[in-house]
Amino acid sequence: MKKLYTDFFLFFDISVLFLCLITGVVFLSVQNITWWLLVHVSIGLVVFMFSEYFTHRFLFHLKAPKNPFFLRLLKRLHYDHHTDPNDLHLLFLPIWYSLPNFAILSSIYYVIVGSFTSTIAFGMGLIAMLLTYEWKHYVAHRPLKPKTRLGKWLKKTHILHHYKNENYWFGVSNPLMDVLFGTLENEKKVQTSETAKNLENSR
């Protein structure tokens, strides 16, 4: 059981994210923390929820590109994860993907709000939700039993996404976006897909 936790917290990409989060929290702690900073953190949380869903559904499940470079990219980011869902090294988003996306979203937010401190707060919301996503994803694929009803349900729906039908249940950290965009379905009404473990051949 101890190894299950160390495999997560000591994984390089996850450790880097925690370091970024701690650095941001330390920076904010020496600022004049106001309710507005917490609002910016909350916006970061919500933005990540949308980003998680749309990235998973429309980028990671994109029809296999003909360009060899982009195909290799998608294979590393997601295709191979569906082929071998329990491979630890395919389970987490690579840092070379997550940090540039974090920088892009934070830069856009800075242009909008014009405040470095508010942008750091927004970024901490992004990273906190990304770590939540990574943990929920990790739990879904490892022999860990969630203690809450929501946790158990999230694990079940993610397993359905992998083994029942890859066109439903895209939410990993939460089900809200599946509810909003119509991809949350009763498993009994969904046909078993032949390409759930082979996204390269999905339509």
Side-chain angles (χ1 to χ4, degrees):
M1 182 61 70
K2 181 180 178 181
K3 187 176 186 303
L4 287 173
Y5 288 97
T6 57
D7 280 349
F8 178 80
F9 289 103
L10 298 183
F11 196 85
F12 176 77
D13 303 68
I14 299 300
S15 298
V16 170
L17 291 177
F18 270 112
L19 181 61
C20 291
L21 182 64
I22 292 170
T23 302
V25 169
V26 170
F27 172 82
L28 292 176
S29 68
V30 299
Q31 306 300 310
N32 182 23
I33 297 179
T34 65
W35 285 106
W36 277 114
L37 280 184
L38 297 180
V39 170
H40 293 297
V41 172
S42 300
I43 292 173
L45 296 174
V46 174
V47 168
F48 181 85
M49 291 180 193
F50 279 94
S51 175
E52 172 195 329
Y53 179 86
F54 285 110
T55 300
H56 189 184
R57 182 177 178 181
F58 296 110
L59 175 61
F60 292 172
H61 283 257
L62 190 69
K63 182 179 178 181
K66 295 181 180 179
N67 183 286
F69 172 77
F70 288 114
L71 179 59
R72 287 197 302 272
L73 188 68
L74 280 176
K75 282 174 65 65
R76 169 58 188 90
L77 288 174
H78 204 62
Y79 287 4
D80 289 349
H81 172 56
H82 269 259
T83 302
D84 190 359
N86 296 319
D87 185 330
L88 185 64
H89 294 281
L90 298 172
L91 193 58
F92 302 114
L93 291 173
I95 207 71
W96 52 258
Y97 172 84
S98 55
L99 285 188
N101 276 276
F102 165 80
I104 291 170
L105 288 173
S106 296
S107 297
I108 293 171
Y109 198 74
Y110 178 77
V111 170
I112 295 171
V113 301
S115 166
F116 182 74
T117 301
S118 298
T119 301
I120 292 297
F122 168 79
M124 292 309 95
L126 288 178
I127 292 181
M129 204 63 205
L130 172 56
L131 284 167
T132 301
Y133 160 87
E134 295 287 23
W135 174 249
K136 295 293 185 182
H137 196 201
Y138 181 76
V139 169
H141 290 286
R142 308 298 276 181
L144 288 165
K145 295 182 179 180
K147 295 181 180 180
T148 66
R149 290 183 63 184
L150 177 60
K152 293 175 182 176
W153 184 82
L154 285 171
K155 179 164 185 167
K156 176 184 177 182
T157 54
H158 190 65
I159 295 303
L160 288 171
H161 172 78
H162 273 278
Y163 295 99
K164 179 77 172 182
N165 194 306
E166 74 276 20
N167 299 304
Y168 297 91
W169 310 294
F170 291 99
V172 177
S173 66
N174 70 91
L176 180 59
M177 299 304 150
D178 279 310
V179 174
L180 288 178
F181 298 105
T183 49
L184 182 67
E185 187 57 89
N186 187 320
E187 62 179 290
K188 295 180 181 179
K189 297 181 180 180
V190 175
Q191 291 185 339
T192 300
S193 169
E194 296 181 355
T195 55
K197 295 194 69 174
N198 188 359
L199 296 186
E200 287 186 61
N201 291 331
S202 63
R203 296 181 180 180

PDB file of all heavy atoms in Angstrom, residues 5 36 54 65-66 74 109 133 167 186 192:
ATOM      1  N   TYR A   5       1.319   4.854  -2.862  1.00  0.00           N
ATOM      2  CA  TYR A   5       1.386   6.286  -2.615  1.00  0.00           C
ATOM      3  C   TYR A   5       2.715   6.878  -3.069  1.00  0.00           C
ATOM      4  O   TYR A   5       2.756   7.975  -3.646  1.00  0.00           O
ATOM      5  CB  TYR A   5       1.135   6.582  -1.134  1.00  0.00           C
ATOM      6  CG  TYR A   5      -0.297   6.370  -0.728  1.00  0.00           C
ATOM      7  CD1 TYR A   5      -0.704   5.186  -0.128  1.00  0.00           C
ATOM      8  CD2 TYR A   5      -1.263   7.345  -0.977  1.00  0.00           C
ATOM      9  CE1 TYR A   5      -2.032   4.975   0.231  1.00  0.00           C
ATOM     10  CE2 TYR A   5      -2.596   7.145  -0.619  1.00  0.00           C
ATOM     11  CZ  TYR A   5      -2.968   5.965  -0.015  1.00  0.00           C
ATOM     12  OH  TYR A   5      -4.280   5.761   0.326  1.00  0.00           O
ATOM     13  N   TRP A  36     -10.497  38.509  -3.292  1.00  0.00           N
ATOM     14  CA  TRP A  36     -10.358  38.534  -4.745  1.00  0.00           C
ATOM     15  C   TRP A  36      -9.317  37.530  -5.221  1.00  0.00           C
ATOM     16  O   TRP A  36      -9.458  36.938  -6.288  1.00  0.00           O
ATOM     17  CB  TRP A  36      -9.996  39.945  -5.220  1.00  0.00           C
ATOM     18  CG  TRP A  36     -11.204  40.814  -5.368  1.00  0.00           C
ATOM     19  CD1 TRP A  36     -11.518  41.914  -4.630  1.00  0.00           C
ATOM     20  CD2 TRP A  36     -12.268  40.645  -6.303  1.00  0.00           C
ATOM     21  NE1 TRP A  36     -12.724  42.439  -5.032  1.00  0.00           N
ATOM     22  CE2 TRP A  36     -13.204  41.678  -6.059  1.00  0.00           C
ATOM     23  CE3 TRP A  36     -12.542  39.722  -7.304  1.00  0.00           C
ATOM     24  CZ2 TRP A  36     -14.382  41.821  -6.792  1.00  0.00           C
ATOM     25  CZ3 TRP A  36     -13.715  39.850  -8.043  1.00  0.00           C
ATOM     26  CH2 TRP A  36     -14.610  40.887  -7.797  1.00  0.00           C
ATOM     27  N   PHE A  54     -12.440  19.381 -22.608  1.00  0.00           N
ATOM     28  CA  PHE A  54     -12.313  19.619 -24.049  1.00  0.00           C
ATOM     29  C   PHE A  54     -11.024  19.032 -24.613  1.00  0.00           C
ATOM     30  O   PHE A  54     -11.002  18.545 -25.750  1.00  0.00           O
ATOM     31  CB  PHE A  54     -12.404  21.117 -24.343  1.00  0.00           C
ATOM     32  CG  PHE A  54     -13.805  21.653 -24.253  1.00  0.00           C
ATOM     33  CD1 PHE A  54     -14.166  22.502 -23.230  1.00  0.00           C
ATOM     34  CD2 PHE A  54     -14.769  21.265 -25.169  1.00  0.00           C
ATOM     35  CE1 PHE A  54     -15.468  22.983 -23.136  1.00  0.00           C
ATOM     36  CE2 PHE A  54     -16.069  21.734 -25.084  1.00  0.00           C
ATOM     37  CZ  PHE A  54     -16.420  22.598 -24.059  1.00  0.00           C
ATOM     38  N   PRO A  65      -3.942  11.283 -36.809  1.00  0.00           N
ATOM     39  CA  PRO A  65      -3.412  12.120 -37.899  1.00  0.00           C
ATOM     40  C   PRO A  65      -2.458  11.329 -38.783  1.00  0.00           C
ATOM     41  O   PRO A  65      -1.852  10.345 -38.340  1.00  0.00           O
ATOM     42  CB  PRO A  65      -2.668  13.226 -37.139  1.00  0.00           C
ATOM     43  CG  PRO A  65      -2.291  12.606 -35.835  1.00  0.00           C
ATOM     44  CD  PRO A  65      -3.384  11.637 -35.502  1.00  0.00           C
ATOM     45  N   LYS A  66      -2.315  11.762 -40.020  1.00  0.00           N
ATOM     46  CA  LYS A  66      -1.406  11.098 -40.951  1.00  0.00           C
ATOM     47  C   LYS A  66       0.035  11.528 -40.726  1.00  0.00           C
ATOM     48  O   LYS A  66       0.972  10.787 -41.055  1.00  0.00           O
ATOM     49  CB  LYS A  66      -1.828  11.394 -42.397  1.00  0.00           C
ATOM     50  CG  LYS A  66      -3.190  10.806 -42.750  1.00  0.00           C
ATOM     51  CD  LYS A  66      -3.546  11.108 -44.195  1.00  0.00           C
ATOM     52  CE  LYS A  66      -4.906  10.510 -44.553  1.00  0.00           C
ATOM     53  NZ  LYS A  66      -5.301  10.793 -45.961  1.00  0.00           N
ATOM     54  N   LEU A  74       0.245  12.097 -30.129  1.00  0.00           N
ATOM     55  CA  LEU A  74      -1.027  11.625 -29.584  1.00  0.00           C
ATOM     56  C   LEU A  74      -0.903  10.232 -28.981  1.00  0.00           C
ATOM     57  O   LEU A  74      -1.584   9.911 -28.003  1.00  0.00           O
ATOM     58  CB  LEU A  74      -2.110  11.635 -30.669  1.00  0.00           C
ATOM     59  CG  LEU A  74      -2.741  13.002 -30.939  1.00  0.00           C
ATOM     60  CD1 LEU A  74      -3.734  12.912 -32.098  1.00  0.00           C
ATOM     61  CD2 LEU A  74      -3.446  13.550 -29.707  1.00  0.00           C
ATOM     62  N   TYR A 109      -4.419  34.849 -19.180  1.00  0.00           N
ATOM     63  CA  TYR A 109      -5.102  35.422 -18.017  1.00  0.00           C
ATOM     64  C   TYR A 109      -4.429  36.733 -17.594  1.00  0.00           C
ATOM     65  O   TYR A 109      -5.119  37.699 -17.238  1.00  0.00           O
ATOM     66  CB  TYR A 109      -5.078  34.424 -16.859  1.00  0.00           C
ATOM     67  CG  TYR A 109      -6.091  34.727 -15.786  1.00  0.00           C
ATOM     68  CD1 TYR A 109      -7.449  34.487 -16.000  1.00  0.00           C
ATOM     69  CD2 TYR A 109      -5.700  35.258 -14.559  1.00  0.00           C
ATOM     70  CE1 TYR A 109      -8.388  34.767 -15.017  1.00  0.00           C
ATOM     71  CE2 TYR A 109      -6.626  35.538 -13.565  1.00  0.00           C
ATOM     72  CZ  TYR A 109      -7.970  35.296 -13.804  1.00  0.00           C
ATOM     73  OH  TYR A 109      -8.903  35.573 -12.834  1.00  0.00           O
ATOM     74  N   TYR A 133      -6.816  16.052 -10.816  1.00  0.00           N
ATOM     75  CA  TYR A 133      -7.047  15.211 -11.998  1.00  0.00           C
ATOM     76  C   TYR A 133      -6.081  14.021 -12.012  1.00  0.00           C
ATOM     77  O   TYR A 133      -6.492  12.871 -12.211  1.00  0.00           O
ATOM     78  CB  TYR A 133      -6.879  16.054 -13.264  1.00  0.00           C
ATOM     79  CG  TYR A 133      -6.626  15.258 -14.517  1.00  0.00           C
ATOM     80  CD1 TYR A 133      -7.686  14.769 -15.275  1.00  0.00           C
ATOM     81  CD2 TYR A 133      -5.326  14.986 -14.944  1.00  0.00           C
ATOM     82  CE1 TYR A 133      -7.463  14.033 -16.429  1.00  0.00           C
ATOM     83  CE2 TYR A 133      -5.092  14.253 -16.087  1.00  0.00           C
ATOM     84  CZ  TYR A 133      -6.163  13.776 -16.826  1.00  0.00           C
ATOM     85  OH  TYR A 133      -5.924  13.039 -17.958  1.00  0.00           O
ATOM     86  N   ASN A 167     -16.333   7.024 -26.105  1.00  0.00           N
ATOM     87  CA  ASN A 167     -17.042   8.237 -26.517  1.00  0.00           C
ATOM     88  C   ASN A 167     -17.894   8.847 -25.412  1.00  0.00           C
ATOM     89  O   ASN A 167     -18.626   9.814 -25.651  1.00  0.00           O
ATOM     90  CB  ASN A 167     -17.918   7.930 -27.737  1.00  0.00           C
ATOM     91  CG  ASN A 167     -17.096   7.461 -28.924  1.00  0.00           C
ATOM     92  OD1 ASN A 167     -16.180   8.158 -29.359  1.00  0.00           O
ATOM     93  ND2 ASN A 167     -17.392   6.276 -29.430  1.00  0.00           N
ATOM     94  N   ASN A 186     -26.076   6.431 -19.015  1.00  0.00           N
ATOM     95  CA  ASN A 186     -26.284   5.181 -18.287  1.00  0.00           C
ATOM     96  C   ASN A 186     -25.541   4.069 -19.028  1.00  0.00           C
ATOM     97  O   ASN A 186     -25.751   3.867 -20.227  1.00  0.00           O
ATOM     98  CB  ASN A 186     -27.779   4.869 -18.211  1.00  0.00           C
ATOM     99  CG  ASN A 186     -28.083   3.667 -17.332  1.00  0.00           C
ATOM    100  OD1 ASN A 186     -27.361   2.667 -17.347  1.00  0.00           O
ATOM    101  ND2 ASN A 186     -29.151   3.750 -16.568  1.00  0.00           N
ATOM    102  N   THR A 192     -20.975  -1.513 -26.257  1.00  0.00           N
ATOM    103  CA  THR A 192     -19.535  -1.704 -26.062  1.00  0.00           C
ATOM    104  C   THR A 192     -18.802  -1.382 -27.360  1.00  0.00           C
ATOM    105  O   THR A 192     -19.161  -1.875 -28.428  1.00  0.00           O
ATOM    106  CB  THR A 192     -19.234  -3.150 -25.638  1.00  0.00           C
ATOM    107  OG1 THR A 192     -19.917  -3.422 -24.403  1.00  0.00           O
ATOM    108  CG2 THR A 192     -17.749  -3.364 -25.449  1.00  0.00           C
TER     109      THR A 192
END
